[in-house]
Amino acid sequence: MSSAIGQNLQRVDGQEKVTGKGVYTGDLRLPGMVYGKVLRSPFPHARIRRIDASRAESLPGVVAVLTRDNLRVASPVHGAYVKDQPIVALEKTRYSGDLVAAVAAVDEAAAEEALKRIDVEYEELPAVFTVEEAIKEGAPLVHEKLEGLKSAEYGTGGSHIVHENSNILLHFRYQRGDVEKAFQEADFIFEDTFFYPSAQHYPLEPHVSVASFEGESLTVWTSTQSPFSVRQELARVFGVPFSRVRVIVPYVGGGYGAKSGIKTEALAGCLSRLAGRPVRVAFSADETFKTICQPKAKLTIKTGVNRDGAFVARRCEVYLNGGAYANSGPSVTEKAGYRAHGPYRIPHVLTDSYHVYTNTVPGGAFRGFGGPQAAFAYESHLDMIAHRLNMDPVKLRMKNLLDRGEEYAAGDTPMDCDLKDGLKQVAEAVGWGKEAKDPAEPASGSRVRRGKGIACGVKDGGGTNKPANAMVKILSDGSVLLSSGSVEIGQGMRTAFLQIVAQELSVPPQQIQMAELDTQYTPFDKGTNASSATAVMGQAVQRAARHAREQLLAAAACLLETQPSEVELNDGKVFFKGKSLSFRDAMRRYAETEGEIVGRGFFKVPRNKNVPLGYTSPFWEVGLGAAEVEVDEMTGAVRIVKYISLTDAGKMIHPLQCRGQDEGAALFGMGLSLSEEILYENGEMLNPNLVDYRLPRFRDLPESFHTYIREEGGGPGPYGSKGMGEGGILAVAPAICNAVYDATGVRIREVPLRGEKVWTAVAKGKDFEGPDSG
Amino acid sequence: MSSAIGQNLQRVDGQEKVTGKGVYTGDLRLPGMVYGKVLRSPFPHARIRRIDASRAESLPGVVAVLTRDNLRVASPVHGAYVKDQPIVALEKTRYSGDLVAAVAAVDEAAAEEALKRIDVEYEELPAVFTVEEAIKEGAPLVHEKLEGLKSAEYGTGGSHIVHENSNILLHFRYQRGDVEKAFQEADFIFEDTFFYPSAQHYPLEPHVSVASFEGESLTVWTSTQSPFSVRQELARVFGVPFSRVRVIVPYVGGGYGAKSGIKTEALAGCLSRLAGRPVRVAFSADETFKTICQPKAKLTIKTGVNRDGAFVARRCEVYLNGGAYANSGPSVTEKAGYRAHGPYRIPHVLTDSYHVYTNTVPGGAFRGFGGPQAAFAYESHLDMIAHRLNMDPVKLRMKNLLDRGEEYAAGDTPMDCDLKDGLKQVAEAVGWGKEAKDPAEPASGSRVRRGKGIACGVKDGGGTNKPANAMVKILSDGSVLLSSGSVEIGQGMRTAFLQIVAQELSVPPQQIQMAELDTQYTPFDKGTNASSATAVMGQAVQRAARHAREQLLAAAACLLETQPSEVELNDGKVFFKGKSLSFRDAMRRYAETEGEIVGRGFFKVPRNKNVPLGYTSPFWEVGLGAAEVEVDEMTGAVRIVKYISLTDAGKMIHPLQCRGQDEGAALFGMGLSLSEEILYENGEMLNPNLVDYRLPRFRDLPESFHTYIREEGGGPGPYGSKGMGEGGILAVAPAICNAVYDATGVRIREVPLRGEKVWTAVAKGKDFEGPDSG
């Protein structure tokens, strides 16, 4: 049989999805199901004096009203890292849009109507919206009492520092060498500050759950990236054993980090228990804006450079505006800090990274997980250094980039990609060295300038040291069932997994089905994030398939009266000396004796106390980019004429999906670079909707857009594969800003590149240094 | 911790069931679900010339009409042993009530209405209703072309004999020694013939399925005892891999053998595929009468006896009226044959057992599976021999009964119960030897006579050599999930299994949940029948729990810095030298490394070519009974004054449930002895309803009713347990008939003991020899 790996198999979920037959959580209708809606705080920070739900409760069609007064749970708060987020507000609300109460009613209209009849008496409190406000001495505290993350020493260079009585929830420090001394000895020192926006993930499917409490058992169908973590949190909240909480995940319409941890699940569970019926809680797209976002970032980088361009020391400060509740923000903060110095050979590094509470929408995981923010800063900074030194930025990168096999940090996984060769490739593709030619003056009379920019980022990929388990069953007719806790969030992971199993068992992928994801049965997994599905879970899947194969071969060898080592698997058959057995025939003996073959596979990244994050990075996710842009001097509009993205997949299991992932990631980056940005006025979000918040549209695509995917074979995943769904974002913002500089001579230190920002800078001939406040 | 075994734990499904919250298949409502109804043949045997469904299809609300003309499946027939039963009739119908067509409509009324508009043109054919008619030379064939069961030699004494062009589907022969020669040498030879009725299982929940076909994948929720067999048959019928068929089993409201194999599942699947929507097919109680029944039996036993009462030879002939389709009938036939000579030391035995097709409702598995029919015959026959020899029947039994440890048949499992001691116990309990005193003449002036009778039966229990798999997971909070393919059909198996796991893991049973039965996930099992749950699957459950325990101890030993052999499990904690760890704590390490502990257990009865059925019997299911009855000479009414049942559970996991099982089985026997009987007139069932078919009512219970459950510890199940849900039926009919003889001096050779039958015999002073036809 030809290899299943590297084939552009038709997506196994494709037909169901494009024909509208795929079942998503929102499609579920359970007998007796009612509809939940939530009441949100109109104030960014307020004490709740009193809630009177009686007018709501008496409305016909209303079956339950949930407030702090009837929230009878074992723990009223939840959170992935700190338990800081109440199911509904307790003493106070902490952002405009915070959950105050919820209603379940026989239809959505009745529920909406009931919300208006919940009488809440608020006492407004002084609030903090920006990092600067939040870390000021004497600033109002978003959380008065809270156990911050405990101080932890990770070993070489990584640690947490606790700030008591502060809005700083987490302070992560990474260091190596002696930065201060190195700065003193450096020929030059440059320091720049950059700003990256808060943004909305905008998965096509907003947050939605259906919960059904029966007795002490809770079943939740939900759109989540982390079913087992959701199970754990729900069990804790409701004070029941894990075994009584069942989380089932139908198709998920995108996540991008937004669907990690509890969102609608606990609310739906509480309402179901109150109502005694299944409850569906579906947030609108607008509500999703008020639920979770990418934390706004401010990054300062100071680099000591020798005359020859060699970097000798780097000091980074990263501030993330974490909003009102932590979510995965602390982890994003660590990662942003660890990623802040970039893929360069720098002997002395000191980074401080802060997660800061404010009275804004909670921030958390977002595709790239701190990496794009860091890359925007260090790659803009590098371009500025090159221009200051009058060096070619590509040459400056070549001088300092890590070689393949070189360590990013002591003890961590060595760089698994030839970044320099990749840089050459994108430079060549964008025609680096040839000046971008401005187009002829358009009819409008506006002057349009062209420029080119390049950037290069990496992030540690694959997430934490999470255990991944998988199960491959061969049924007695020879058909195959795969179970894994990875979520199909649209990334195509099911198809890739079936290819891996197909390859290991030598059967057509069509002969394999993937079982429904149900925490009661699916082998344990920690979550689908950090580009981990193929590279981490894929290994468990591969091992499970191999375990099943061994058993099948043993059964077949018995029937063929030989040793397992003598038989071969090919084309879905077992061969021995010219004789062959189909899977079905080989299963005869097994079906008689055990009924089915169960193969189990397990993989886990090893813990390692001697590396900064406490475990070695499974692989390095790579994103290089080269952009050619046009800047309209009359409007400040930036148009991407050409974009080259380059990443390394190690080995592509499904090339078309890999390309889709990288293009999608680059497009995410373009949105964040050109238009996406959550805006506030006095703590009130101004643009929680797709009219005022501008996602990229098809006409925003570059005229020329190409993705190069290297297959360097250095990944830990099956056949040398690596994760690669986030790398594409890393280089976009800096490549574009570097190109804008090339075109206009002004530096924009804050994305997105809104027209008035660029226009002002170009008109003044002066860099855009950033907003007054971070 | 005190032992969980032998405790009368509250049933884990009890509260849900008595409060009406338990979900049965019929409770399910899926979005878009429609309702299926079936059209049944009005003729016992007819060729279908034409079906015109157009008037039905055009009826508003009708979404699909299924007939042979649009039955596009890979195989239109199904069956556990032979594929003889069409989903809907093909060329002809074979019994009155046979499925001809089906409709799916938006409500049941529309579906019923549509049935009336299906125009079927029948050509009536000559039919056979009784075994005698069916085996006559030149009888009309129920199935013209059919591959009968293949001839098979099982080894010592067991074989199949094929009858071509005959209504005999299966002829099973068992022999040992030389019967003919032994008869020649015997002092006496006695031969008697007995008749046992066709009966309806009458589970409280009739057959019901909900099927949903999506693309090439079929999900079926169904009330079945054999989910994996149903999966296999559906996959075969629809021509899809096993992995694409998912069978989910909610609570089942009783089975008693009726719910083995395809009943409503294939119909619902076909309708769903036609309709493109989920379809619910629920048979009414009356339709269940037309679906499956206990085959009517005729048994002849001839015994050679020596002057001292010792049995020397036995010749048995068993005829089962299998109805129009085989179902499990062939297996019942084998078992009835193997069980026909009884638990006696008889050197020479020859048994022929026949499964015969007729144009009546299909027969199949029924609680007792051929055993009660056999025991009725051999224990009535024994009583008759004793009276003929002027011996006490108990003494005659004592003379011939197998000793504990003695072989029932060469090579098979030795008798695992002290039958003689049991016999003593029931004899004593009924006051054997003291004459039953007739009551004072009642006011009616009718003469009422009392008598006592005893009987003793065994059956091989635990079913075939089926593999049983189970899985026990310990989750990271220390809670426990058990998965097993055994079906909770009301027998209380879930509670017993949780007790076993609780015992092995030393945790309270309340800490353990049982996962939903879903063939996509649940470990493979062959079916819940033959009293196999505790004794067969229980072993897999126990092994799975022990496998999980080993892993838990290893994890705990690691934390306690010692060896697994040094730590002990007690009270849900792990102990080592005074230190203790809760399960949750012990799981810490595991949760970090693998997420959860997965224990797997497997058990299978070994194949054995040298025993009559091809595998050794897992255990012997025992049923002894003693009855004291009153016979009203004026009406022939028989009333059970006192009934003693005795069985052997090996070891009782849950004593109250054991008692419930034995009492329930005895009551089943009383129904079959006194009132239950399916009656036909010209092939038309006369009493397919609970008015005309008399199940026992509470007032039919004996005044005095007691169950003795021995715990001889000889079972293969956990802690020495055996299956025991069928033994209680075995002795009832013969004990009662023997008591009637004791009371009246007449022998009734056919149950049930309807008044006119007994009255006629008593009035004439002449035995009731049986119906004109079997």
Side-chain angles (χ1 to χ4, degrees):
Chain A
M1 197 179 81
S2 62
S3 174
I5 303 306
Q7 300 300 316
N8 288 325
L9 190 71
Q10 188 184 308
R11 276 184 76 124
V12 291
D13 52 344
Q15 196 171 339
E16 270 194 309
K17 284 181 175 173
V18 297
T19 56
K21 286 185 181 159
V23 174
Y24 292 80
T25 302
D27 297 322
L28 297 175
R29 295 290 178 277
L30 302 190
M33 189 180 85
V34 293
Y35 297 82
K37 289 282 170 190
V38 297
L39 181 69
R40 293 173 180 277
S41 170
F43 303 111
H45 201 190
R47 191 169 312 285
I48 296 176
R49 284 202 182 123
R50 204 175 57 88
I51 304 182
D52 182 354
S54 54
R55 290 198 307 133
E57 280 163 347
S58 60
L59 192 72
V62 170
V63 296
V65 181
L66 177 75
T67 69
R68 63 183 185 182
D69 300 325
N70 61 357
L71 182 67
R72 280 179 285 277
V73 290
S75 167
V77 289
H78 60 84
Y81 290 82
V82 283
K83 311 303 174 196
D84 62 353
Q85 184 157 12
I87 298 165
V88 287
L90 303 172
E91 298 83 21
K92 57 181 198 170
T93 68
R94 292 185 176 86
Y95 70 97
S96 174
D98 204 356
L99 300 169
V100 173
V103 168
V106 294
D107 56 43
E108 298 197 334
E112 297 274 15
E113 183 57 33
L115 292 181
K116 299 178 197 157
R117 299 177 180 222
I118 300 173
D119 301 306
V120 187
E121 201 179 310
Y122 295 98
E123 174 194 343
E124 277 193 78
L125 298 171
V128 289
F129 305 125
T130 65
V131 164
E132 284 73 12
E133 290 166 14
I135 62 176
K136 238 180 229 159
E137 185 72 30
L141 290 180
V142 180
H143 294 268
E144 284 81 12
K145 295 164 291 183
L146 193 76
E147 278 187 51
L149 289 187
K150 278 182 196 144
S151 180
E153 288 285 339
Y154 290 121
T156 320
S159 61
H160 285 157
I161 297 159
V162 176
H163 295 245
E164 303 282 357
N165 270 323
S166 156
N167 284 316
I168 296 175
L169 169 63
L170 180 104
H171 172 182
F172 170 77
R173 169 166 284 191
Y174 168 68
Q175 57 186 321
R176 66 186 185 219
D178 184 338
V179 193
E180 285 313 311
K181 188 152 166 275
F183 277 136
Q184 284 166 16
E185 292 166 5
D187 294 328
F188 306 98
I189 297 176
F190 302 106
E191 177 174 333
D192 299 294
T193 295
F194 302 90
F195 303 88
Y196 204 82
S198 173
Q200 167 51 216
H201 311 70
Y202 210 79
L204 275 179
E205 179 202 32
H207 303 289
V208 55
S209 303
V210 177
S212 177
F213 234 117
E214 293 184 29
E216 284 301 292
S217 294
L218 171 62
T219 303
V220 179
W221 292 259
T222 188
S223 178
T224 186
Q225 300 177 238
S226 54
F228 288 88
S229 307
V230 165
R231 176 179 74 177
Q232 178 174 333
E233 278 297 275
L234 291 176
R236 206 184 49 75
V237 161
F238 292 107
V240 297
F242 289 11
S243 55
R244 285 201 177 270
V245 179
R246 186 173 173 189
V247 177
I248 300 172
V249 186
Y251 278 136
V252 172
Y256 312 118
K259 292 176 181 168
S260 306
I262 297 285
K263 295 292 177 293
T264 40
E265 295 87 352
L267 266 175
C270 285
L271 286 171
S272 174
R273 201 166 54 167
L274 275 178
R277 301 163 71 163
V279 176
R280 174 184 193 263
V281 174
F283 285 174
S284 67
D286 292 8
E287 284 181 289
T288 294
F289 275 90
K290 302 280 183 83
T291 301
I292 181 82
C293 66
Q294 165 160 273
K296 194 175 172 75
K298 177 182 176 184
L299 306 101
T300 300
I301 307 191
K302 181 175 160 186
T303 305
V305 190
N306 279 348
R307 212 167 299 275
D308 64 354
F311 295 166
V312 291
R314 182 163 275 183
R315 170 86 177 95
C316 312
E317 274 191 308
V318 180
Y319 286 92
L320 296 184
N321 184 333
Y325 301 108
N327 279 284
S328 313
S331 180
V332 179
T333 306
E334 278 183 6
K335 294 283 193 177
Y338 187 50
R339 292 164 184 170
H341 62 273
Y344 299 104
R345 193 181 306 109
I346 312 175
H348 306 276
V349 173
L350 175 62
T351 296
D352 285 294
S353 186
Y354 302 89
H355 179 279
V356 183
Y357 279 133
T358 65
N359 294 112
T360 62
V361 172
F366 188 104
R367 197 174 190 176
F369 214 80
Q373 294 92 320
F376 171 55
Y378 64 68
E379 286 300 277
S380 292
H381 181 57
L382 184 144
D383 205 66
M384 294 166 81
I385 294 173
H387 289 292
R388 286 159 180 156
L389 296 179
N390 208 18
M391 268 182 89
D392 179 280
V394 170
K395 277 196 191 129
L396 183 60
R397 287 188 178 89
M398 285 293 185
K399 174 90 193 161
N400 291 289
L401 268 175
L402 294 173
D403 284 317
R404 185 175 164 142
E406 204 172 343
E407 278 180 343
Y408 177 90
D412 206 347
T413 306
M415 187 51 56
D416 52 14
C417 173
D418 186 342
L419 296 173
K420 290 180 180 169
D421 198 59
L423 184 60
K424 260 189 232 164
Q425 204 177 343
V426 296
E428 200 167 297
V430 83
W432 191 254
K434 281 176 260 169
E435 203 179 332
K437 209 179 145 202
D438 295 344
E441 195 165 302
S444 67
S446 172
R447 190 157 162 218
V448 173
R449 295 191 174 276
R450 285 205 177 185
K452 292 178 184 174
I454 276 184
C456 169
V458 302
K459 68 183 277 285
D460 52 295
T464 60
N465 59 322
K466 54 187 197 176
N469 294 275
M471 182 164 70
V472 169
K473 279 192 193 183
I474 307 179
L475 307 183
S476 51
D477 69 337
S479 61
V480 180
L481 261 176
L482 165 67
S483 316
S484 129
S486 286
V487 178
E488 177 59 65
I489 46 175
Q491 81 281 51
M493 139 260 150
R494 286 196 187 184
T495 309
F497 283 2
L498 295 196
Q499 287 178 281
I500 294 167
V501 177
Q503 177 68 13
E504 295 299 329
L505 293 181
S506 176
V507 296
Q510 295 75 15
Q511 201 169 321
I512 309 163
Q513 311 301 318
M514 184 122 189
E516 187 181 54
L517 206 173
D518 179 339
T519 57
Q520 207 170 41
Y521 275 117
T522 307
F524 186 84
D525 172 53
K526 276 281 250 190
T528 302
N529 48 39
S531 309
S532 63
T534 301
V536 176
M537 179 58 86
Q539 295 186 67
V541 168
Q542 187 181 36
R543 288 168 191 197
R546 288 179 174 173
H547 183 213
R549 183 176 64 185
E550 276 169 32
Q551 298 171 65
L552 181 79
L553 289 181
C558 238
L559 285 171
L560 293 166
E561 295 175 350
T562 180
Q563 298 305 309
S565 57
E566 297 292 310
V567 296
E568 276 181 14
L569 218 54
N570 209 350
D571 265 337
K573 292 201 186 74
V574 185
F575 289 89
F576 169 61
K577 286 191 181 166
K579 285 185 282 184
S580 79
L581 274 182
S582 68
F583 264 44
R584 182 190 283 266
D585 287 337
M587 281 301 294
R588 271 201 332 244
R589 179 173 299 260
Y590 234 93
E592 274 175 12
T593 56
E594 302 208 19
E596 62 195 7
I597 282 175
V598 179
R600 294 185 58 87
F602 165 69
F603 173 76
K604 186 177 162 291
V605 174
R607 272 194 177 278
N608 182 346
K609 283 188 188 164
N610 298 321
V611 292
L613 297 177
Y615 54 87
T616 47
S617 304
F619 57 88
W620 293 99
E621 195 157 355
V622 167
L624 285 85
E628 181 169 340
V629 305
E630 270 182 14
V631 183
D632 184 327
E633 291 200 339
M634 188 180 272
T635 60
V638 176
R639 194 169 73 84
I640 310 169
V641 180
K642 184 173 192 172
Y643 191 79
I644 313 294
S645 180
L646 182 144
T647 190
D648 173 28
K651 166 74 190 172
M652 292 190 279
I653 307 293
H654 189 297
L656 203 56
Q657 289 189 173
C658 288
R659 196 173 133 194
Q661 279 294 312
D662 197 60
E663 287 178 354
L667 199 58
F668 245 73
M670 292 174 200
L672 294 163
S673 301
L674 297 183
S675 62
E676 291 187 55
E677 178 180 25
I678 288 175
L679 299 168
Y680 289 92
E681 195 169 82
N682 297 325
E684 185 65 33
M685 193 184 286
L686 294 175
N687 57 346
N689 60 70
L690 282 200
V691 175
D692 300 315
Y693 181 93
R694 258 277 267 117
L695 286 171
R697 292 176 288 199
F698 271 104
R699 65 174 181 202
D700 295 322
L701 278 171
E703 270 167 43
S704 165
F705 183 15
H706 194 74
T707 281
Y708 292 102
I709 303 175
R710 298 172 72 94
E711 293 187 272
E712 295 199 12
Y719 323 110
S721 58
K722 297 164 64 174
M724 47 78 63
E726 298 172 283
I729 309 184
L730 299 173
V732 183
I736 291 174
C737 287
N738 294 345
V740 167
Y741 179 83
D742 185 45
T744 64
V746 296
R747 175 69 54 184
I748 312 290
R749 301 191 191 182
E750 183 199 59
V751 281
L753 296 168
R754 280 185 288 117
E756 67 274 28
K757 194 185 289 180
V758 178
W759 178 84
T760 307
V762 171
K764 292 186 184 169
K766 191 167 167 275
D767 288 3
F768 184 87
E769 303 267 347
D772 294 334
S773 55
Chain B
M1 197 178 82
S2 63
S3 175
I5 304 304
Q7 301 299 315
N8 288 326
L9 190 71
Q10 187 184 308
R11 275 183 76 123
V12 291
D13 52 344
Q15 196 171 337
E16 270 194 309
K17 285 181 174 174
V18 298
T19 56
K21 286 185 181 161
V23 174
Y24 292 79
T25 302
D27 295 323
L28 298 175
R29 295 291 178 275
L30 302 190
M33 188 179 86
V34 293
Y35 297 81
K37 288 283 172 191
V38 297
L39 180 70
R40 293 174 180 278
S41 170
F43 303 110
H45 201 189
R47 191 168 313 284
I48 297 177
R49 285 202 181 127
R50 204 176 58 88
I51 305 182
D52 182 354
S54 53
R55 289 198 308 132
E57 281 163 347
S58 62
L59 193 70
V62 171
V63 295
V65 181
L66 177 74
T67 69
R68 64 183 185 182
D69 300 324
N70 61 357
L71 182 67
R72 280 178 287 276
V73 289
S75 166
V77 289
H78 60 84
Y81 291 82
V82 283
K83 310 304 173 195
D84 63 354
Q85 186 157 10
I87 299 165
V88 287
L90 302 172
E91 296 83 20
K92 59 180 198 171
T93 69
R94 294 187 176 83
Y95 70 97
S96 175
D98 203 356
L99 300 169
V100 174
V103 168
V106 294
D107 57 42
E108 298 198 334
E112 297 274 16
E113 183 56 33
L115 293 181
K116 297 178 200 157
R117 299 179 180 220
I118 299 173
D119 302 306
V120 187
E121 201 179 309
Y122 295 98
E123 174 195 343
E124 276 192 78
L125 297 172
V128 289
F129 306 124
T130 65
V131 163
E132 284 72 11
E133 288 167 12
I135 62 176
K136 238 181 229 159
E137 184 72 27
L141 291 180
V142 179
H143 294 268
E144 283 83 9
K145 294 164 293 181
L146 193 76
E147 278 187 51
L149 289 188
K150 281 184 194 141
S151 179
E153 288 286 338
Y154 289 121
T156 320
S159 61
H160 286 155
I161 297 159
V162 177
H163 295 244
E164 302 284 356
N165 269 324
S166 155
N167 285 316
I168 296 176
L169 169 63
L170 181 103
H171 172 182
F172 171 78
R173 169 166 283 190
Y174 168 68
Q175 57 186 320
R176 65 186 186 220
D178 184 339
V179 193
E180 284 313 312
K181 190 153 164 273
F183 277 137
Q184 285 167 16
E185 292 165 7
D187 294 328
F188 306 98
I189 297 175
F190 303 106
E191 178 174 331
D192 300 295
T193 296
F194 303 91
F195 303 88
Y196 204 80
S198 174
Q200 168 50 216
H201 311 70
Y202 210 79
L204 274 179
E205 178 202 33
H207 303 289
V208 55
S209 303
V210 177
S212 177
F213 234 117
E214 294 185 28
E216 284 301 291
S217 294
L218 171 63
T219 303
V220 179
W221 292 259
T222 188
S223 179
T224 186
Q225 300 177 237
S226 54
F228 288 88
S229 308
V230 165
R231 176 180 73 176
Q232 178 173 333
E233 278 296 275
L234 291 176
R236 206 185 48 76
V237 161
F238 291 108
V240 297
F242 288 13
S243 55
R244 287 202 177 268
V245 179
R246 187 173 173 188
V247 178
I248 300 172
V249 187
Y251 278 136
V252 173
Y256 312 117
K259 293 176 180 168
S260 306
I262 297 286
K263 294 292 177 294
T264 41
E265 295 87 352
L267 266 176
C270 285
L271 286 171
S272 173
R273 201 166 57 166
L274 275 179
R277 301 163 71 164
V279 176
R280 175 183 192 262
V281 174
F283 285 172
S284 67
D286 291 9
E287 284 182 289
T288 293
F289 275 91
K290 302 280 183 84
T291 302
I292 181 84
C293 67
Q294 165 160 271
K296 194 175 172 75
K298 176 182 176 185
L299 306 100
T300 299
I301 307 191
K302 179 174 161 187
T303 305
V305 190
N306 279 349
R307 213 167 301 272
D308 63 355
F311 295 165
V312 291
R314 183 163 274 184
R315 169 85 177 98
C316 312
E317 275 189 307
V318 180
Y319 286 92
L320 296 183
N321 183 334
Y325 302 108
N327 279 284
S328 312
S331 179
V332 178
T333 307
E334 279 184 6
K335 293 282 192 178
Y338 187 51
R339 292 163 184 169
H341 62 270
Y344 298 105
R345 193 180 307 109
I346 311 174
H348 306 277
V349 173
L350 174 62
T351 296
D352 286 294
S353 186
Y354 302 89
H355 179 280
V356 182
Y357 278 134
T358 65
N359 295 111
T360 63
V361 171
F366 187 104
R367 197 174 190 176
F369 214 80
Q373 294 92 320
F376 172 55
Y378 64 68
E379 285 300 278
S380 292
H381 180 57
L382 184 143
D383 206 67
M384 293 166 82
I385 294 172
H387 289 292
R388 285 160 181 156
L389 295 179
N390 208 17
M391 269 182 87
D392 179 279
V394 170
K395 276 197 192 129
L396 183 59
R397 287 188 178 89
M398 286 293 184
K399 174 90 194 161
N400 291 288
L401 267 176
L402 295 173
D403 283 317
R404 186 175 162 139
E406 203 172 346
E407 278 180 342
Y408 178 89
D412 206 348
T413 305
M415 187 50 55
D416 52 14
C417 173
D418 186 342
L419 297 173
K420 290 179 179 169
D421 197 59
L423 184 60
K424 261 190 231 162
Q425 204 177 341
V426 297
E428 200 166 295
V430 83
W432 191 253
K434 283 176 260 170
E435 203 179 331
K437 208 179 146 203
D438 295 343
E441 195 166 301
S444 67
S446 172
R447 187 153 166 224
V448 173
R449 295 193 172 274
R450 284 205 177 185
K452 292 178 185 176
I454 277 184
C456 170
V458 301
K459 68 182 276 285
D460 52 296
T464 60
N465 58 322
K466 56 187 195 174
N469 293 275
M471 182 164 71
V472 168
K473 278 192 195 185
I474 307 179
L475 307 183
S476 51
D477 68 338
S479 61
V480 181
L481 262 176
L482 165 65
S483 317
S484 127
S486 285
V487 179
E488 177 59 65
I489 45 176
Q491 82 280 52
M493 140 258 147
R494 286 195 187 185
T495 310
F497 283 1
L498 296 195
Q499 287 176 283
I500 293 167
V501 177
Q503 178 68 13
E504 295 299 330
L505 294 182
S506 175
V507 297
Q510 295 74 16
Q511 201 168 320
I512 310 164
Q513 312 301 318
M514 183 122 189
E516 187 181 53
L517 206 173
D518 178 340
T519 56
Q520 206 171 42
Y521 274 117
T522 307
F524 186 84
D525 172 52
K526 276 280 251 189
T528 302
N529 48 40
S531 308
S532 63
T534 302
V536 176
M537 179 58 86
Q539 294 185 69
V541 168
Q542 187 180 35
R543 288 168 192 198
R546 288 180 174 174
H547 183 214
R549 181 175 67 184
E550 274 169 33
Q551 298 171 66
L552 182 79
L553 290 181
C558 237
L559 286 172
L560 293 165
E561 295 174 348
T562 180
Q563 297 305 310
S565 57
E566 297 293 310
V567 296
E568 276 181 13
L569 219 53
N570 209 351
D571 265 336
K573 291 201 186 74
V574 184
F575 289 88
F576 169 62
K577 287 191 179 166
K579 284 184 283 185
S580 77
L581 274 183
S582 68
F583 263 44
R584 183 190 282 266
D585 288 337
M587 281 301 292
R588 270 202 331 247
R589 179 172 298 262
Y590 234 91
E592 273 177 11
T593 56
E594 302 208 18
E596 61 193 9
I597 282 175
V598 179
R600 295 185 58 87
F602 165 69
F603 174 74
K604 186 178 162 289
V605 174
R607 271 194 178 279
N608 183 346
K609 284 188 187 164
N610 298 321
V611 293
L613 296 178
Y615 53 89
T616 48
S617 305
F619 57 87
W620 293 98
E621 195 156 355
V622 167
L624 285 84
E628 182 170 341
V629 304
E630 272 183 13
V631 183
D632 184 327
E633 291 199 339
M634 188 179 274
T635 61
V638 176
R639 194 169 73 85
I640 310 168
V641 179
K642 184 172 192 173
Y643 192 81
I644 313 294
S645 180
L646 181 143
T647 190
D648 173 29
K651 167 72 189 172
M652 290 191 279
I653 307 293
H654 190 296
L656 204 55
Q657 289 189 172
C658 288
R659 196 173 133 196
Q661 279 295 313
D662 197 60
E663 288 178 352
L667 199 57
F668 244 73
M670 292 174 199
L672 293 163
S673 301
L674 297 183
S675 61
E676 292 186 55
E677 178 180 27
I678 288 175
L679 298 169
Y680 288 91
E681 195 169 84
N682 296 325
E684 185 66 32
M685 195 186 284
L686 292 175
N687 57 346
N689 60 72
L690 282 199
V691 176
D692 301 315
Y693 181 93
R694 258 278 265 115
L695 287 171
R697 293 177 287 200
F698 271 104
R699 64 174 183 205
D700 294 323
L701 278 171
E703 268 167 44
S704 164
F705 182 15
H706 194 75
T707 281
Y708 292 102
I709 303 176
R710 298 172 72 93
E711 293 186 273
E712 295 200 13
Y719 322 111
S721 57
K722 297 164 63 174
M724 46 77 65
E726 298 172 283
I729 309 183
L730 299 173
V732 183
I736 292 174
C737 287
N738 294 345
V740 168
Y741 179 83
D742 185 46
T744 64
V746 297
R747 174 70 53 184
I748 313 290
R749 302 191 190 180
E750 182 200 58
V751 281
L753 296 168
R754 280 184 287 116
E756 68 273 29
K757 194 185 291 180
V758 178
W759 178 83
T760 307
V762 171
K764 293 186 183 168
K766 189 166 168 279
D767 289 2
F768 184 87
E769 303 268 348
D772 292 338
S773 57

